[in-house]
Amino acid sequence: MATRSPQPGATSGPPTAWRRLPVHATRVVLALFFAFPVVFMLVSSFKPDQQIFGDLAGPRAFLPVGDLSLTNYTAVFDRVPALRFLLNSLAVSAITVVLGIVVNSLAAFALSRMRWRGRKFLLTVIIATLIVPFETFALPLVWWVNELPWLEVNGFGLTLTEGWLDTYRVQILPFVAWGFSIFLFHQYFQSIPKELDEAALIDGAGWFGIYRRIVMPLSGPAIATVAILTFLPAWNSYLWPLMVVQQEELRPVMVGIQYFFQLNPSWGEIMAYSSMITVPVLALFLAFQRSFINSIASSGVKG
Amino acid sequence: MTAAVPLRVRLRRAHSITQADARRREGIAAVAMAAPAVLLLLVFVVIPIGLAFVLAFTSARLVSPTPARFVGLRNFAMLAEDPVFLRSVLNTFVFAALVVPVQAGVALGLALLINARFRGTNFFRTVYFIPVVTSMVVVSIVWTLLYQKDGLLNRIIEAVTFGQVEGPDWLNDPSTSLAAIVFMSVWQGAGFHMIIWLAGLQTIPADLYEAASIDGVSRWTRFRYVTWPGLRATRTFVLITITIAAFSLFTQVNVMTQGGPLDSTTTLVYQAVRSGYQQQQTAYASAISLVFFVLVLIVSLAQRYLTREKD
């Protein structure tokens, strides 16, 4: 099979630029294909409903032309407590990210840099939990969080309450510990020389000091990766809050979308709300592209 | 008496005591540091998985005045005769069977298109990746509008065929609804796996390509004998992750079709949510979850076996 089998036109001498034209054209067409729904959403969010449908016939659907205004956006705030939803999602995702970084890196530190019985076994079990998608135990988990107790602080001290439904904690705590974050931190910590720990121990540092002062400051890329991979699903979470949060004031952005389909839905408003909850993430992505791409790429390393 | 022990021995003994002490302290510190994560995983992953196995054999309801009792295989017997559940199993399989090869293939195509060094690599990679950072809820909503009978997609079809072909009412026609969801899901997910494929492509040694170009082999031969074998590990990962994600199909269905029309888009997870949450039948939903769990396990084991290292 090592015989020469030239591409048509490959040897007949057209300049390379011409030969590459079909490939490049494919790239451009695909870029249009992957971008058009998002462009359409953003552009339509500034148009009145009638014009959205009127513009469908031609390229105007993708162009910010015609009767543009912020009417849809103001209408969104009249219809739903959009600001509240945004703040809820922001708080829930931020807390999940911060706790996730701390809890998972601590565990990974213990698993990768300290010697104790059972750590190999524990790491295996933690990685094994990754095969099981959340959806397989989401329903038993709803039942379970409804039974869980919680200590509540009130005027007279502590009282024991039952049930986690309709709280912030039920949106946060189940997603803090994650086998994949532990795995990523573990891999990264392995690459930091252990001699640093030994030197610090001789200098009288404790293990927590080593974690906080030596290992974590060296782990910027791993922290960024875990932050991104925790933030995206937290911001986008839908199935879980749909089931465990009924109270309007506690709802996150994705669940808020349901309000727009209840009575006389307006596509302009729906596109405005969709844009509002998409643009922050899109902006983060465009600002930290390299980190985003690298964190996704690193999620393939275990294969 | 201690004075009789030579200094050398005493020092060694003291050293071994402090060493044992340090070892013990290391163990305690390690357990303390791992404890929060272990506890959370136990409460929110391990116990719920265990509960799926237990609750599936009971009469548990989400909110119930009477305590759950053991009912044996009753839930599974009901599942076997539930036509909507059986339809959901079929739909889930069809969805996975379509999405897995198409998404993996499209993603590989994208990766190969932008793997070459050229001006604008970064731009194209970014654009192909945009759907991935857009939430599935938003994607589903935008595509619901695109898929309407008089929506953008049908207008494009009309324009391209000069009005010869009239597009269907994609989401309201049982013969096209699932396909429409497949198409949109591939659009959303391909960019993610493109990045994984790209990472895999970059692990293939450049001298293999150099050798191939010295031999003057065709592009296809190069792909077949250099690229494809070099992507073996990546392939397993891509296939397993897409399959599991495909089996977990829920959001698109919940936003776009609610399982309809005529149950043509209902899925395992959608049925589990409907019975476990809307109808509060935790036990029945646990039985569905258990079926789902077993399927996921079988598929990942099978794919691992089929794509294992053959040497």
Side-chain angles (χ1 to χ4, degrees):
Chain A
M1 284 310 288
T3 51
R4 212 165 233 281
S5 52
Q7 312 276 296
T11 47
S12 52
T16 3
W18 280 107
R19 230 177 344 125
R20 292 209 183 124
L21 192 67
V23 178
H24 209 69
T26 316
R27 289 180 185 131
V28 172
V29 169
L30 283 168
L32 292 174
F33 171 66
F34 281 101
F36 87 89
V38 177
V39 173
F40 174 69
M41 170 186 80
L42 293 172
V43 168
S44 301
S45 74
F46 298 106
K47 295 177 181 174
D49 271 22
Q50 259 189 320
Q51 200 201 325
I52 295 178
F53 287 95
D55 283 354
L56 286 181
R60 284 171 65 91
F62 305 106
L63 298 174
V65 289
D67 183 12
L68 302 180
S69 72
L70 290 173
T71 319
N72 290 326
Y73 286 86
T74 49
V76 162
F77 286 95
D78 291 338
R79 196 192 279 254
V80 299
L83 191 65
R84 182 74 200 220
F85 292 162
L86 282 165
L87 290 175
N88 285 341
S89 275
L90 192 66
V92 166
S93 341
I95 298 172
T96 311
V97 167
V98 172
L99 287 179
I101 289 171
V102 174
V103 164
N104 295 312
S105 64
L106 272 172
F109 180 87
L111 289 166
S112 69
R113 301 184 82 82
M114 298 168 78
R115 274 177 305 177
W116 48 295
R117 276 172 50 147
R119 70 199 162 108
K120 290 245 171 63
F121 172 74
L122 190 60
L123 185 65
T124 315
V125 173
I126 287 173
I127 296 197
T129 63
L130 287 175
I131 320 170
V132 190
F134 175 73
E135 287 82 356
T136 52
F137 56 87
L139 273 306
L141 187 58
V142 175
W143 181 87
W144 174 235
V145 294
N146 192 33
E147 308 278 315
L148 280 180
W150 183 255
L151 279 175
E152 206 133 285
V153 188
N154 59 21
F156 307 101
L158 294 171
T159 33
L160 201 62
T161 58
E162 197 184 81
W164 285 34
L165 300 185
D166 282 328
T167 57
Y168 283 117
R169 64 176 180 271
V170 79
Q171 301 181 59
I172 297 169
L173 289 179
F175 308 102
V176 167
W178 186 28
F180 193 64
S181 301
I182 297 177
F183 171 77
L184 281 176
F185 275 124
H186 183 269
Q187 295 298 95
Y188 198 84
F189 291 167
Q190 298 279 17
S191 70
I192 301 172
K194 293 219 167 73
E195 288 77 31
L196 292 174
D197 301 10
E198 281 153 30
L201 282 172
I202 290 167
D203 288 346
W207 283 103
F208 187 73
I210 297 172
Y211 160 81
R212 203 167 66 91
R213 296 219 181 77
I214 298 174
V215 172
M216 285 309 266
L218 290 173
S219 303
I223 294 173
T225 298
V226 168
I228 288 169
L229 292 182
T230 314
F231 174 78
L232 277 182
W235 182 268
N236 292 340
S237 75
Y238 177 67
L239 167 63
W240 182 245
L242 194 68
M243 297 192 291
V244 296
V245 186
Q246 300 304 319
Q247 219 173 306
E248 188 175 87
E249 307 89 81
L250 300 176
R251 287 193 145 161
V253 284
M254 294 306 156
V255 178
I257 205 107
Q258 291 186 321
Y259 291 71
F260 292 91
F261 291 98
Q262 279 162 3
L263 26 118
N264 39 24
S266 145
W267 279 105
E269 289 175 34
I270 294 171
M271 291 301 126
Y273 185 76
S274 301
S275 303
M276 272 166 53
I277 62 180
T278 305
V279 166
V281 186
L282 217 53
L284 272 182
F285 165 59
L286 293 176
F288 301 104
Q289 262 183 71
R290 198 162 291 274
S291 302
F292 267 74
I293 302 281
N294 286 345
S295 40
I296 301 296
S298 67
S299 74
V301 290
K302 68 172 178 167
Chain B
M1 282 300 285
T2 38
V5 182
L7 182 65
R8 197 161 42 87
V9 178
R10 260 199 296 163
L11 269 177
R12 198 187 300 144
R13 205 177 287 164
H15 182 67
S16 74
I17 287 170
T18 50
Q19 213 170 31
D21 196 42
R23 194 49 68 71
R24 214 189 57 227
R25 252 188 291 167
E26 185 173 346
I28 292 171
V31 170
M33 289 169 111
V38 171
L39 197 71
L40 286 168
L41 284 175
L42 205 63
V43 173
F44 294 112
V45 179
V46 179
I47 290 177
I49 294 173
L51 277 173
F53 282 84
V54 176
L55 292 172
F57 300 96
T58 67
S59 62
R61 292 181 58 85
L62 190 54
V63 182
S64 167
T66 52
R69 22 179 213 92
F70 178 76
V71 297
L73 292 172
R74 198 185 71 187
N75 292 317
F76 294 95
M78 276 161 67
L79 276 184
E81 288 176 1
D82 180 347
V84 183
F85 167 75
L86 296 176
R87 185 65 202 261
S88 76
V89 175
L90 178 71
N91 287 342
T92 306
F93 269 107
V94 171
F95 180 78
L98 291 172
V99 162
V100 174
V102 176
Q103 186 167 326
V106 169
L108 179 58
L110 293 175
L112 291 170
L113 267 178
I114 61 167
N115 192 36
R117 206 167 295 165
F118 65 99
R119 268 198 317 163
T121 317
N122 222 11
F123 170 78
F124 287 107
R125 195 181 57 182
T126 305
V127 173
Y128 299 159
F129 196 75
I130 282 177
V132 180
V133 290
T134 313
S135 92
M136 192 49 106
V137 173
V138 168
V139 166
S140 303
I141 282 169
V142 174
W143 280 85
T144 305
L145 182 52
L146 299 179
Y147 275 140
Q148 290 198 338
K149 182 85 177 103
D150 55 354
L152 190 59
L153 198 71
N154 282 347
R155 294 296 178 87
I156 294 174
I157 291 175
E158 228 171 85
V160 171
T161 60
F162 303 104
Q164 294 305 299
V165 178
E166 198 187 337
D169 190 357
W170 295 96
L171 295 173
N172 290 318
D173 182 338
S175 61
T176 52
S177 50
L178 193 60
I181 294 181
V182 168
F183 188 78
M184 181 200 81
S185 304
V186 169
W187 175 85
Q188 201 266 348
F192 183 94
H193 291 96
M194 165 191 77
I195 301 294
I196 310 273
W197 283 122
L198 268 176
L201 285 172
Q202 267 139 32
T203 62
I204 301 173
D207 46 345
L208 285 180
Y209 285 112
E210 273 162 36
S213 77
I214 291 166
D215 286 351
V217 300
S218 74
R219 254 191 246 184
W220 166 247
T221 314
R222 200 177 61 191
F223 176 79
R224 175 72 188 79
Y225 292 99
V226 180
T227 312
W228 189 243
L231 290 172
R232 184 187 282 155
T234 315
R235 206 153 60 220
T236 312
F237 178 79
V238 167
L239 289 180
I240 290 182
T241 49
I242 302 182
T243 309
I244 291 179
F247 274 149
S248 311
L249 175 64
F250 169 79
T251 303
Q252 296 93 306
V253 171
N254 193 57
V255 174
M256 302 174 87
T257 61
Q258 280 84 49
L262 301 173
D263 298 321
S264 60
T265 58
T266 190
T267 64
L268 272 170
V269 177
Y270 187 75
Q271 281 307 310
V273 171
R274 208 158 78 164
S275 50
Y277 166 66
Q278 284 165 357
Q279 300 162 6
Q280 309 217 330
Q281 296 170 339
T282 300
Y284 198 60
S286 299
I288 298 177
S289 302
L290 209 56
V291 172
F292 178 43
F293 180 78
V294 171
L295 278 179
V296 168
L297 216 59
I298 291 174
V299 168
S300 2
L301 289 177
Q303 277 183 343
R304 254 181 216 287
Y305 176 76
L306 290 173
T307 54
R308 71 195 182 280
E309 305 273 331
K310 287 177 189 121
D311 37 35

